[in-house]
Amino acid sequence: MTDSDDRRKVEARIRQCYSSWAQSYFDDYYRGQGAYPPVHVDIVRDLLRKRAPRTLLDAGCGPASMLRSLTDLGCELYGFDLTEEMVIEARRVMAGAGVPQDRLWQGSVAGLHD
């Protein structure tokens, strides 16, 4: 078995896990009162405000969990996620912010080096 085969098996398990979670993921983790508050959002926003990038890519964007909070920064937003359902939800959410659907796609960070 090759590394590529192993990666495909792991990615299939990840897609299976997240495929039914796309619509509630943001509420579960970003709006919930759980033990893991999304403090990273404020950290990333502060860094982006200081750097003022023209474009931003969120690798593993899920349902645009981070991207949806960055629409006011004036940069072109892009994202990809391993799970098709997460991408569908990200496109739905970001359409309201005027982000073109082709800026959100299905892809894998693990495959970037291939």
Side-chain angles (χ1 to χ4, degrees):
M1 182 163 305
T2 67
D3 288 343
S4 183
D5 292 335
D6 288 342
R7 186 186 76 216
R8 279 193 284 277
K9 286 182 180 184
V10 168
E11 288 178 345
R13 284 187 223 125
I14 293 168
R15 280 192 297 275
Q16 182 181 8
C17 173
Y18 285 97
S19 66
S20 63
W21 204 0
Q23 292 180 346
S24 67
Y25 183 87
F26 180 79
D27 286 337
D28 291 346
Y29 281 102
Y30 285 75
R31 289 190 179 152
Q33 299 299 317
Y36 179 69
V39 296
H40 62 286
V41 175
D42 292 335
I43 294 168
V44 170
R45 282 185 64 78
D46 289 343
L47 289 169
L48 292 172
R49 278 192 197 122
K50 291 175 185 173
R51 303 284 191 256
R54 291 182 296 180
T55 59
L56 176 70
L57 172 62
D58 185 352
C61 68
S65 299
M66 176 72 70
L67 292 174
R68 66 177 77 192
S69 69
L70 303 174
T71 59
D72 63 326
L73 296 179
C75 57
E76 292 182 7
L77 301 173
Y78 296 84
F80 67 91
D81 197 87
L82 183 61
T83 307
E84 179 182 15
E85 292 81 359
M86 290 288 191
V87 173
I88 291 168
E89 182 67 6
R91 287 177 174 166
R92 185 191 69 75
V93 168
M94 297 306 287
V99 175
Q101 288 193 0
D102 64 347
R103 290 190 190 169
L104 300 157
W105 66 91
Q106 187 175 359
S108 171
V109 294
L112 292 177
H113 68 282
D114 291 345

